[in-house]
Amino acid sequence: PFVLSLMGSAQIKDAKKRVTALTTFRQAQDIADLFRSKGISNIAIRYKGMFEGGTDGNGLSSVKVNSSLGSKKDMKAFSEYTDLQNIKVYPSFNLISASAGKIKNPALSLAGKKERVISEELKNKVVASESERNFISFSEIEESTSSLLSLARELPFGAVSIDDAGKYVYGDYSASSYSHGQGVKNGIFSQFSALSSLGSIMVERGNIYTVKHADYIVNLPSSSSVGDRDYCRSVPFVQSILHGIVNYTTTPLNLEKNSETALLKAAEYGAVPHFEVYYEDFSTEDKQDTYHYAYCASVAQTDYERLSNTFKTLQNEKITNHYLVKKGVYCTEYSSDISVYVNYNKEDVRVNGVTVEGRSFLKVG
């Protein structure tokens, strides 16, 4: 599989913070065509910013498809194209949060303040960083799910991507709906059974409460919050549980500071490739726009071929072991008695009778 996150619309970094179209429905089809022409098959498209408010979103109670992306006829044509090409499209929703000021009764912290989440800043500075968001009241989770179901059923895609519920668990200490994190977790988890009626589900990061119903998990962390130290090392613990059960990705390869290292990490952790793009091009003479689809397509082709050649027979296998072979070289073992060696060093390394080229990976068995 290959996960392609498309940014439909987002705030542009200017004084007015305008929400502008970055990838229309027709342009989305052109992008999918280009990636398919590169030999990339089995594509799952996560369509972010499909609704008013762009990637930031306004909350499910008033959300509508952003008309700047095209007409209903354009959306239907895009849906028919993706159905024909066996591409699943996942419109992105926020289930438990909305832009600050868009919720009538936001969740309150123990201090009586609004429970807030600040989304990660987009790395392309042309697009404004996502604004502060408020969590919805625990008592409104069921209503939020109902709104999402109604909206999603009006769309022709038969799938959804939930961007926030897989990342956050919060407490709501409002007088009218007191609930700690565990209570909110149970409330969210119970709603995912209803969401599964829509068809396929994709979640971001995927805490254990949402994984059960997910077919894809995007942006699964591949490093610890403290980083590797002499006394601790990141290991694919969650990946070892999930591999062979659900498809998962690391963060988009084109957005990492070192995309080559990111590809090696995806190979070490058995992740499917993931790119995030849009149609617009904000490149300058001095700087390449790493979100631009045409730039990403050629890079994606190479990365996809390398990962596909190694993992196409391992997709349904369990990870049974993972260990450090020698400095900069890791081995991930699978249930089919196949091992994947990943060499982060610049120099070739000889391990267990095989040579793993520098900055590369090798399947053995």
Side-chain angles (χ1 to χ4, degrees):
F2 180 91
V3 176
L4 182 62
S5 289
L6 298 182
M7 196 178 297
S9 61
Q11 287 185 351
I12 292 297
K13 193 173 184 180
D14 62 11
K16 295 182 180 180
K17 291 187 177 180
R18 297 171 294 112
V19 174
T20 188
L22 299 172
T23 307
T24 67
F25 295 122
R26 291 183 179 183
Q27 291 167 345
Q29 181 171 330
D30 290 341
I31 292 174
D33 261 338
L34 177 61
F35 276 73
R36 289 185 64 256
S37 73
K38 298 290 185 180
I40 299 173
S41 58
N42 198 6
I43 299 174
I45 292 179
R46 178 190 182 208
Y47 210 139
K48 301 173 63 179
M50 185 185 288
F51 307 101
E52 292 178 350
T55 52
D56 187 39
N58 289 325
L60 287 168
S61 60
S62 60
V63 70
K64 296 180 180 179
V65 175
N66 191 331
S67 60
S68 65
L69 301 185
S71 64
K72 289 184 178 180
K73 184 177 179 180
D74 292 332
M75 181 169 62
K76 183 179 179 182
F78 175 58
S79 171
E80 290 174 347
Y81 162 81
T82 53
D83 284 345
L84 186 63
Q85 302 301 332
N86 199 28
I87 296 173
K88 189 59 105 175
V89 179
Y90 296 79
S92 286
F93 295 88
N94 285 294
L95 177 65
I96 61 174
S97 64
S99 302
K102 298 294 183 179
I103 302 177
K104 292 181 180 179
N105 301 301
L108 296 181
S109 69
L110 281 171
K113 297 180 180 179
K114 295 176 182 177
E115 286 272 24
R116 291 183 175 176
V117 57
I118 300 176
S119 300
E120 294 180 6
E121 188 176 44
L122 295 172
K123 295 184 179 181
N124 187 332
K125 299 301 180 182
V126 176
V127 180
S129 60
E130 298 187 35
S131 64
E132 209 169 63
R133 305 175 64 80
N134 292 333
F135 288 116
I136 67 171
S137 170
F138 171 70
S139 62
E140 296 178 1
I141 288 177
E142 187 172 347
E143 182 181 346
S144 178
T145 304
S146 178
S147 296
L148 192 157
L149 287 167
S150 296
L151 178 59
R153 283 170 178 154
E154 293 176 1
L155 302 175
F157 301 112
V160 292
S161 173
I162 307 299
D163 290 354
D164 53 6
K167 293 189 289 186
Y168 309 112
V169 175
Y170 64 98
D172 181 9
Y173 301 97
S174 306
S176 60
S177 59
Y178 176 88
S179 182
H180 49 66
Q182 184 73 11
V184 174
K185 179 271 294 184
N186 290 336
I188 295 171
F189 180 75
S190 65
Q191 297 307 313
F192 263 72
S193 294
L195 293 176
S196 63
S197 68
L198 293 171
S200 186
I201 296 178
M202 180 183 289
V203 296
E204 183 166 358
R205 297 203 187 168
N207 55 40
I208 200 66
Y209 317 121
T210 59
V211 161
K212 178 181 178 181
H213 298 285
D215 294 310
Y216 283 91
I217 304 171
V218 294
N219 300 335
L220 198 62
S222 57
S223 62
S224 69
S225 58
V226 298
D228 288 354
R229 299 286 191 272
D230 291 338
Y231 53 84
C232 69
R233 186 173 68 247
S234 299
V235 297
F237 176 76
V238 173
Q239 289 81 356
S240 296
I241 297 172
L242 297 178
H243 199 279
I245 299 174
V246 60
N247 295 304
Y248 55 82
T249 80
T250 57
T251 51
L253 299 178
N254 58 306
L255 304 186
E256 293 290 344
K257 291 181 179 179
N258 190 319
S259 57
E260 184 183 48
T261 299
L263 176 66
L264 296 178
K265 180 63 72 171
E268 180 189 351
Y269 279 34
V272 302
H274 177 204
F275 278 70
E276 183 164 318
V277 306
Y278 48 57
Y279 193 87
E280 292 298 321
D281 186 4
F282 297 108
S283 299
T284 64
E285 292 183 1
D286 302 323
K287 188 176 182 180
Q288 170 66 50
D289 185 351
T290 54
Y291 279 88
H292 183 48
Y293 79 101
Y295 163 79
C296 292
S298 296
V299 180
Q301 178 182 24
T302 302
D303 289 353
Y304 179 77
E305 287 176 353
R306 292 181 67 186
L307 288 172
S308 180
N309 289 338
T310 298
F311 289 97
K312 60 186 176 183
T313 60
L314 298 178
Q315 204 60 40
N316 297 319
E317 303 293 338
K318 296 288 293 180
I319 292 177
T320 56
N321 201 4
H322 172 272
Y323 53 93
L324 175 68
V325 181
K326 57 176 64 177
K327 185 177 180 180
V329 182
Y330 294 86
C331 178
T332 305
E333 296 180 351
Y334 291 85
S335 54
S336 53
D337 293 328
I338 291 177
S339 299
V340 176
Y341 292 96
V342 180
N343 180 12
Y344 289 91
N345 303 298
K346 293 181 179 179
E347 304 80 18
D348 296 354
V349 175
R350 187 78 176 170
V351 292
N352 297 335
V354 298
T355 299
V356 186
E357 295 180 357
R359 307 292 290 171
S360 188
F361 49 92
L362 179 67
K363 180 175 71 173
V364 177

